[in-house]
Amino acid sequence: MSQNQPQPSPDDPRRPHGPGPAGHLGGPGGQGVPRGQDGPGVPTRLVSPEGERVRERPAGGVSGYFAIVAAVGLLVVAALLALIGFGLMVSGQGFGIILIVLGVLTFIASMFLFKGCTSVAPGQAVVLQLYGRYVGTVRQSGLRFVNPLYSKEQVSTRIRNHETSTLKVNDADGNPIEIGAVVVWQVRDTAQALFEVDDFEEFVAIQAETAVRHIANSYAYDSSDPARMSLRDNADEITSKLSAEVAARVASAGVTVIESRITQLAYAPEIARAMLQRQQATAVVAARQLIVEGAVGMVETAIEQIEGRDIVTLGHAERSDLVTNLMIVLCGDQAAQPTISTTRNKQPGA
């Protein structure tokens, strides 16, 4: 190959589609269909094979009210020309045919003006195409006039909700759980929404479900380790990661994610009872541990105060009995039953 031969630019569609950087399949600009995540903790971003070449741009539409008035005026003129021409033809004058032809042409012109008028409601956008080529998008609400040859397709730009069905997946510990989420999204780029994916609404639904499954598989339902994130104890952090992953997955469809929330989270019915017993046992053990730690501190304080105030001199046996009795009283589940000993200090022969 000659050294003077120009190399294809990154945006040149003739650039070979080989493996690109960061583990992506090649495409314009080194972008393509990703093989996996871009890195640890980075959500996967889906990219179309064309390299996202279609972007929304404003269309040069004008106010449609003048076109409506002109179309109505031409329609009236066409009707008058047809009537006058028909009258002249009946009277035997050849000029009537010319007037009728002019009336037909005027009627066709009025129909073209009517066809070029389109109404845009608030929260809606009209995507214009000319024989399959994207021309632009009209977002200004009201009656607008565009080229009558343009084909028009309306796209809603309002905020929408998508609630996933209740999904049954395994968490990071392998326990089956039921999880559901709601995703609040909005179309940001109408050109990408129509031309980058086949059906952007279905695309958002499938990618949201995929992101929920991936998040559920990445974290445990609950964890006794404070340093380990769990679905139940770290709801804010998990929903933030869910929003980031859904946004990365639907970015190629021109969709922006406003918010994502987990709406349902529970163990699967077949293990719910066992998990409840485990949670109860864990809570009992934690409570017992706290009670024992507190009881030991109270016993230590009691002995220090008794000996420090010279209330009584405790020997090893008395100290052992006092510790045993206090621990039983403080750690027992039931109320203590006090007993009075009348023989401990009884003198022999009394």
Side-chain angles (χ1 to χ4, degrees), residues 33-52:
V33 181
R35 294 179 177 177
Q37 291 190 343
D38 295 336
V42 179
T44 300
R45 187 175 188 273
L46 302 180
V47 183
S48 67
E50 279 82 16
E52 300 177 331

Side-chain angles (χ1 to χ4, degrees), residues 1-37:
M1 179 182 296
S2 175
Q3 295 181 355
N4 297 327
Q5 184 175 356
Q7 298 296 327
S9 64
D11 296 330
D12 194 341
R14 298 173 297 175
R15 183 184 178 92
H17 288 201
H24 288 72
L25 294 180
Q31 301 292 331
V33 181
R35 294 179 177 177
Q37 291 190 343

Side-chain angles (χ1 to χ4, degrees), residues 215-272:
I215 290 294
N217 292 331
S218 302
Y219 299 95
Y221 179 86
D222 58 358
S223 175
S224 57
D225 185 4
R228 184 187 182 192
M229 293 180 60
S230 64
L231 297 173
R232 188 184 67 174
D233 299 332
N234 304 94
D236 293 337
E237 293 85 350
I238 297 300
T239 52
S240 177
K241 292 180 179 294
L242 176 62
S243 298
E245 179 157 351
V246 176
R249 289 179 175 273
V250 301
S252 59
V255 172
T256 179
V257 175
I258 300 174
E259 184 186 19
S260 298
R261 286 288 175 185
I262 296 177
T263 57
Q264 181 178 355
L265 181 64
Y267 280 113
E270 58 267 23
I271 66 165

Side-chain angles (χ1 to χ4, degrees), residues 53-60 126 128 133-138 189-191:
R53 292 181 296 181
V54 181
R55 288 294 185 274
E56 179 181 322
R57 55 178 179 268
V126 177
L128 305 177
R133 183 177 63 87
Y134 172 64
V135 176
T137 301
V138 178
D189 192 305
T190 56

